[in-house]
Amino acid sequence: MTGLTALVLAGSRPGRDAFAEAHGTDLKPLIPVGGEPMVRRPVLTLLATDGIARVLVVSQQPERIAAVLPADARTAVSASAATIAATLVQLIDDPATQWPLLVTTADHALLTSGMIYDLVTGAAGADVAIGLVGEAALMRRLPDTKRTWIRFRDGGYSGANLFLLRGPQVRPAIEKWRAVEQDRKKGLRLLLSLGPLALVGAVLRLRTLDQTLRTVGRKLGLKLVAVRMSDPLAAVDVDKDADLTLVEQLLRERA
C-alpha cells in the first residue's frame, strides 16, 4: 500500500499531568526519551517508512509540538479536538483528508517500520484494522512487564497503538468510540447495542477475538480485522516512569 497518511495523536488529557511535570514539561509528548522529545521518535520512523506519503500530528498545542519535529515538507501539525474520537470525526468529515489513515500515538517511542509493514499487510481488505500483541508473545520477551490485557477465548491481547482506517465509511465505528469517550458508563450500553452475542462473549469469554470482531463488524456494516503484530514490543508505550525506563533500556539495546 502506498500513499498512506499517518496520523500521530499527540494530545494531552485535561488538567495537570504529573508524569510530564516530573520530567520538566507540562506536555507528555515533549517528555525526553533517550535524549529527544517523545513525539519526535514515531514521526521520524514514519518519515523513514516506505509508503507513508504524509504525516499529520494533532495536538491541543500544535505550535509547541511543531517546534520539536524534524523539518520535512511531508509533515504538518494541526489542532486536535477535545478527544481522540472527536478528532477522528473531524478528519472523516473533512473532504481534504487523504485516505487511508494509519493512526498511532506520540508515546509509541519504539515504533519501527517493520511494525508499520505488519499492520498494513495484515489490513488487506479491512475497513478498520487494529494492531494487537498476544499476551504469551510479550511475556516471553518481557516477563516482568505490566500491561492491560483484553481477554478472549483464544487468549489475552494488548493494544499496539496502531490502527488503519480505510476511508470515511468507518464513521459508525468512530461514533461508537466517541459515545464511550463522552460517558464511560455507556460501555455496557455499547455492548448491548452490538447485540447479545457480543455482550455474552465479552462477559464470559466464549468467543475468540476474530469471532467478536466479525460480530461487531456486521453490526456496524464494516469489516474489522485484528492484526497480530510479529514484534511484541509494539505493545510497549510510555505512560509512566517504569515504561520510560524500560523504553530507554530497549532503545539502548537497539543501538
Side-chain angles (χ1 to χ4, degrees):
M1 186 181 296
T2 59
L4 281 168
T5 298
L7 174 66
V8 180
L9 302 169
S12 301
R13 296 187 181 96
R16 292 179 57 188
D17 187 329
F19 178 38
E21 289 178 359
H23 294 276
T25 182
D26 59 333
L27 294 180
K28 177 185 166 186
L30 299 182
I31 293 174
V33 178
E36 58 184 338
M38 185 190 300
V39 64
R40 185 177 170 90
R41 289 187 172 275
V43 170
L44 284 170
T45 296
L46 290 161
L47 291 171
T49 300
D50 289 342
I52 303 294
R54 61 201 69 84
V55 178
L56 173 62
V57 185
V58 293
S59 170
Q60 290 98 338
Q61 299 198 42
E63 297 85 1
R64 293 176 63 193
I65 297 297
V68 304
L69 297 180
D72 191 296
R74 294 171 293 163
T75 303
V77 185
S78 66
S80 65
T83 67
I84 294 172
T87 299
L88 290 172
V89 168
Q90 282 185 355
L91 287 169
I92 290 168
D93 291 344
D94 185 349
T97 299
Q98 295 174 287
W99 301 90
L101 280 181
L102 182 141
V103 184
T104 191
T105 56
D107 61 4
H108 206 327
L110 295 177
L111 183 67
T112 66
S113 294
M115 294 173 189
I116 296 166
Y117 296 148
D118 259 7
L119 182 78
V120 172
T121 301
D127 295 303
V128 178
I130 306 164
L132 296 168
V133 171
E135 182 176 11
L138 184 59
M139 297 313 292
R140 281 194 301 271
R141 179 67 176 82
L142 299 172
D144 298 323
T145 193
K146 304 294 184 185
R147 295 288 135 189
T148 300
W149 304 103
I150 304 171
R151 300 194 181 278
F152 299 87
R153 193 180 74 191
D154 55 336
Y157 294 89
S158 186
N161 284 345
L162 277 170
F163 306 88
L164 192 135
L165 308 178
R166 184 73 55 181
Q169 72 270 22
V170 305
R171 201 180 200 283
I174 305 304
E175 286 290 0
K176 289 286 185 183
W177 184 356
R178 184 159 68 167
V180 175
E181 275 189 335
Q182 290 171 343
D183 181 357
R184 293 192 177 190
K185 293 179 182 178
K186 291 181 180 177
L188 180 59
R189 273 180 275 166
L190 172 61
L191 283 171
L192 284 168
S193 73
L194 294 172
L197 284 177
L199 177 61
V200 172
V203 173
L204 301 181
R205 299 179 193 164
L206 298 176
R207 321 196 85 210
T208 66
L209 169 62
D210 293 328
Q211 288 171 333
T212 302
L213 288 181
R214 281 196 295 271
T215 298
V216 174
R218 281 196 297 270
K219 189 73 175 179
L220 296 174
L222 299 170
K223 183 177 180 180
L224 311 183
V225 171
V227 179
R228 292 154 175 87
M229 310 298 292
S230 60
D231 185 347
L233 297 184
V236 180
D237 53 17
V238 184
D239 273 331
K240 53 187 181 296
D241 282 316
D243 297 333
L244 179 57
T245 299
L246 173 62
V247 165
E248 290 189 324
Q249 174 190 333
L250 293 167
L251 288 171
R252 287 192 296 269
E253 291 175 4
R254 278 185 186 174

